[in-house]
Amino acid sequence: LCLPRRNSKNSNRRATSLSLTKFWGRGLSPIMTNPQRWLELAGDDVRMAEFALAEGILQQVCFHCEQAAEKLLKAYLVWKRGFYPKTHSLIQLLHLCRMEDSDFEDLTELCELLDQFYVATRYPDAPIGTGPAGSPSRPDAEKAMSAATSIRTFVQSRIGS
């Protein structure tokens, strides 16, 4: 987390406080601090990925699997801490989850796989995958689907849903 530099001691403290507030998501609506709501939204992403896979829209499979994983990790953090960080990095989210429960280490490879899809599924000049022109192939999409499903099972077992 990079924080802006300020000239005076007081303004530096204020900048740090504001940046950390933004990063940790303080002041959120009660809906976004409800882990069950995060789980529901993640479930919607998994269902969209299943529909996209059935239709052969492989880039959207990968996108929705990454989104599901992000929401699942945030659900756990909300459940454990009452808030979540403002980041889209699965690796950063996983690190915070591991601070609460070392068993999250088991999700490292799955999160690394899915993390690559966040930017790449949004921009045509950021290819990923093994398909034509770097697009995701069916095996890439199936791996993403499996990873999201495994993360979902793991997080739900922790939260108790």
Side-chain angles (χ1 to χ4, degrees), residues 138-153:
R138 180 161 283 278
D140 294 330
E142 289 169 349
K143 286 179 190 173
M145 195 75 227
S146 177
T149 302
S150 295
I151 292 169
R152 184 181 189 189
T153 301

Side-chain angles (χ1 to χ4, degrees), residues 99-128:
M99 291 172 66
E100 300 294 336
D101 180 344
S102 62
D103 288 343
F104 273 84
E105 181 69 32
D106 297 343
L107 303 180
T108 301
E109 286 183 28
L110 302 176
C111 287
E112 287 172 349
L113 169 75
L114 293 174
D115 205 36
Q116 69 180 323
F117 297 125
Y118 180 72
V119 171
T121 54
R122 288 178 161 68
Y123 300 99
D125 61 346
I128 45 92

Side-chain angles (χ1 to χ4, degrees), residues 150-161:
S150 295
I151 292 169
R152 184 181 189 189
T153 301
F154 182 91
V155 170
Q156 287 178 328
S157 74
R158 294 302 189 269
I159 293 177
S161 302

Side-chain angles (χ1 to χ4, degrees), residues 29-154:
S29 73
I31 294 171
M32 298 317 294
T33 56
N34 177 347
Q36 294 305 316
R37 182 66 180 135
W38 282 102
L39 293 175
E40 290 168 13
L41 293 171
D44 290 346
D45 279 313
V46 170
R47 284 189 294 283
M48 285 304 298
E50 291 168 346
F51 293 137
L53 187 60
E55 293 297 318
I57 309 169
L58 305 178
Q59 191 160 333
Q60 290 302 307
V61 174
C62 297
F63 170 74
H64 284 286
C65 287
E66 184 281 334
Q67 288 292 288
E70 182 181 329
K71 290 169 186 155
L72 289 161
L73 296 177
K74 287 180 179 180
Y76 177 78
L77 291 170
V78 165
W79 178 71
K80 235 8 204 179
R81 297 179 173 198
F83 54 91
Y84 65 93
K86 294 274 190 161
T87 182
H88 300 290
S89 168
L90 298 182
I91 304 308
Q92 289 179 359
L93 292 168
L94 183 62
H95 173 73
L96 295 170
C97 291
R98 278 194 313 249
M99 291 172 66
E100 300 294 336
D101 180 344
S102 62
D103 288 343
F104 273 84
E105 181 69 32
D106 297 343
L107 303 180
T108 301
E109 286 183 28
L110 302 176
C111 287
E112 287 172 349
L113 169 75
L114 293 174
D115 205 36
Q116 69 180 323
F117 297 125
Y118 180 72
V119 171
T121 54
R122 288 178 161 68
Y123 300 99
D125 61 346
I128 45 92
T130 58
S135 62
S137 64
R138 180 161 283 278
D140 294 330
E142 289 169 349
K143 286 179 190 173
M145 195 75 227
S146 177
T149 302
S150 295
I151 292 169
R152 184 181 189 189
T153 301
F154 182 91

